Amino acid sequence: MTKLIVICGATATGKSGLALALAMRLETVILSADSRQVYREFDIGTAKPTLLQQKLVPHYLVNICDPREIMTVADFQLSAQSLILEQQNRPTVKEKEKYGSSSPLFLVGGTGLYIKSIVRGMKIPRVAPHPELRSQLYDIPQHQLYGILEQVDSIAAQKIHPNDSVRTIRALEVFYVTGKQISQQQGENPPNYPILQIGLDCELDYLTSRIAQRTEKMIADGLVQEVENLCHKYGTDLPLLNTLGYQEIKQYLAGDISLESAKELTVLHTRQFAKRQRTWFRKVPDIKWFDIQSSDLQEQVWLTVQEFLAKSVRE
């Protein structure tokens, strides 16, 4: 039986660096739980692991999608679960001697739904987005859509806010495509292997300064050129180019704002996004939290990981 170590938290809290250091000590691999790092060519603006980092520790679920494709939570879950099962079924002799089974795996990122889909074993309807159906639904006022949902799936409607058009449309999409209520296709089936969830956090002002520093580094590393190349290759209407960091630089390249303004907006929007991530993860009861401002952060986490692995072997 494999063991899973999750490292989560808001953007710019140092998840990737900590995971890399720990994975090197355990001689294992990292599964990325980042909804943008799955896309090829979106490198600098997503803080994707560098080629050197990927050589030091194998990273999976990175660069697996064309930017024009849509990677759903269900797609991610299927890929991640397959990788975990593969690792579980192929332990080496060294792994068996050291851990009693395959090496522990790291699941690292800030996309809460990706992590929840694995940790909680979310049951997700395998229904791909249907643009034509959605375009028809978008033409209907939200209050009418919600009324339809109340008629076809009252249980789902109770869990969705009347003004939440995204979830309302998704619930109707699943119903019209499968003929079954989305509420009947949802639920959880948690995995049977041990899981340790580690969360990284800090004071918001300190996090903001880290976001600002990282934004400057992205610019220095060539983010403007990356966005320019992506716009030229895929067109400025590519949805991924409307995400954090890319949208602001796209505005700069269009001459709408200055580079300095683009950087300021990136910091502002990233900070807002980080606050939402913190809210999400703080609601997860099983996460063990660590302050990234601690001078011995890595050793604190390392001791927690060792205790987890030792307990897992005993059980």
Side-chain angles (χ1 to χ4, degrees):
M1 183 179 297
T2 192
K3 305 166 189 70
L4 186 67
I5 301 171
V6 177
I7 297 183
C8 61
T11 187
T13 50
K15 300 182 294 295
S16 298
L18 177 64
L20 183 71
L22 296 175
M24 289 176 66
R25 293 173 79 163
L26 290 174
E27 299 180 341
T28 187
V29 303
I30 293 174
L31 309 184
S32 172
D34 187 296
S35 61
R36 296 195 302 170
Q37 290 184 2
V38 297
Y39 294 101
R40 291 185 285 272
E41 300 177 74
F42 280 72
D43 303 326
I44 300 172
T46 64
K48 191 176 292 178
T50 65
L51 293 177
L52 175 59
Q53 290 171 327
Q54 293 184 51
K55 285 183 178 179
L56 292 172
V57 172
H59 285 67
Y60 294 92
L61 303 177
V62 172
N63 295 328
I64 59 174
C65 277
D66 183 280
R68 292 161 293 201
E69 298 174 343
I70 296 176
M71 180 76 166
T72 66
V73 177
D75 293 332
F76 170 83
Q77 183 189 52
L78 182 61
S79 297
Q81 288 176 336
S82 297
L83 286 167
I84 292 170
L85 182 62
E86 179 182 332
Q87 181 75 9
Q88 179 176 315
N89 291 338
R90 296 173 57 186
T92 65
V93 173
K94 182 179 179 181
E95 288 174 337
K96 286 183 178 179
E97 292 176 349
K98 191 172 183 179
Y99 304 111
S101 63
S102 57
S103 297
L105 303 175
F106 282 90
L107 179 65
V108 183
T111 303
L113 266 178
Y114 275 17
I115 293 173
K116 184 179 179 180
S117 74
I118 302 303
V119 172
R120 298 302 309 163
M122 292 170 58
K123 296 179 181 177
I124 306 170
R126 304 290 177 179
V127 178
H130 284 63
E132 292 185 5
L133 174 58
R134 288 188 177 188
S135 65
Q136 295 176 41
L137 295 174
Y138 280 129
D139 290 336
I140 302 174
Q142 170 59 19
H143 71 277
Q144 292 183 19
L145 285 176
Y146 190 77
I148 296 172
L149 181 61
E150 287 181 309
Q151 294 177 22
V152 302
D153 192 346
S154 60
I155 296 176
Q158 291 174 9
K159 299 178 181 179
I160 298 174
H161 192 279
N163 295 331
D164 190 338
S165 61
V166 174
R167 294 180 65 197
T168 300
I169 288 176
R170 176 56 178 169
L172 290 173
E173 178 180 46
V174 170
F175 175 76
Y176 287 127
V177 171
T178 66
K180 298 179 181 179
Q181 299 169 330
I182 192 173
S183 60
Q184 295 180 344
Q185 302 180 58
Q186 293 176 322
E188 295 180 350
N189 183 26
N192 60 358
Y193 47 77
I195 299 175
L196 170 65
Q197 296 190 73
I198 292 169
L200 301 183
D201 200 9
C202 62
E203 295 179 355
L204 190 56
D205 287 344
Y206 181 65
L207 182 59
T208 302
S209 69
R210 288 176 62 94
I211 290 171
Q213 291 172 11
R214 191 172 75 166
T215 300
E216 289 288 352
K217 185 177 185 303
M218 287 178 173
I219 297 296
D221 289 344
L223 179 59
V224 174
Q225 187 63 53
E226 177 173 284
V227 177
E228 189 172 24
N229 292 341
L230 290 167
C231 287
H232 178 73
K233 183 173 182 178
Y234 297 106
T236 57
D237 292 333
L238 185 74
L240 275 173
L241 287 170
N242 292 324
T243 61
L244 276 178
Y246 292 94
Q247 181 179 29
E248 295 82 2
I249 297 301
K250 189 174 70 169
Q251 289 178 274
Y252 160 66
L253 290 172
D256 297 332
I257 57 176
S258 66
L259 182 58
E260 192 61 33
S261 294
K263 289 190 287 187
E264 291 174 357
L265 284 173
T266 299
V267 173
L268 173 63
H269 295 157
T270 306
R271 183 179 185 273
Q272 293 170 340
F273 175 63
K275 289 178 68 176
R276 294 195 295 272
Q277 287 178 299
R278 294 174 87 211
T279 299
W280 171 283
F281 287 117
R282 280 294 178 184
K283 293 179 180 178
V284 180
D286 299 327
I287 295 177
K288 297 181 182 294
W289 289 99
F290 293 86
D291 188 343
I292 65 172
Q293 293 178 262
S294 299
S295 58
D296 61 342
L297 170 65
Q298 186 178 138
E299 287 309 308
Q300 286 183 35
V301 177
W302 176 243
L303 286 175
T304 301
V305 168
Q306 287 183 308
E307 291 172 0
F308 164 72
L309 294 177
K311 181 181 178 182
S312 300
V313 170
R314 289 196 301 270
E315 293 178 349

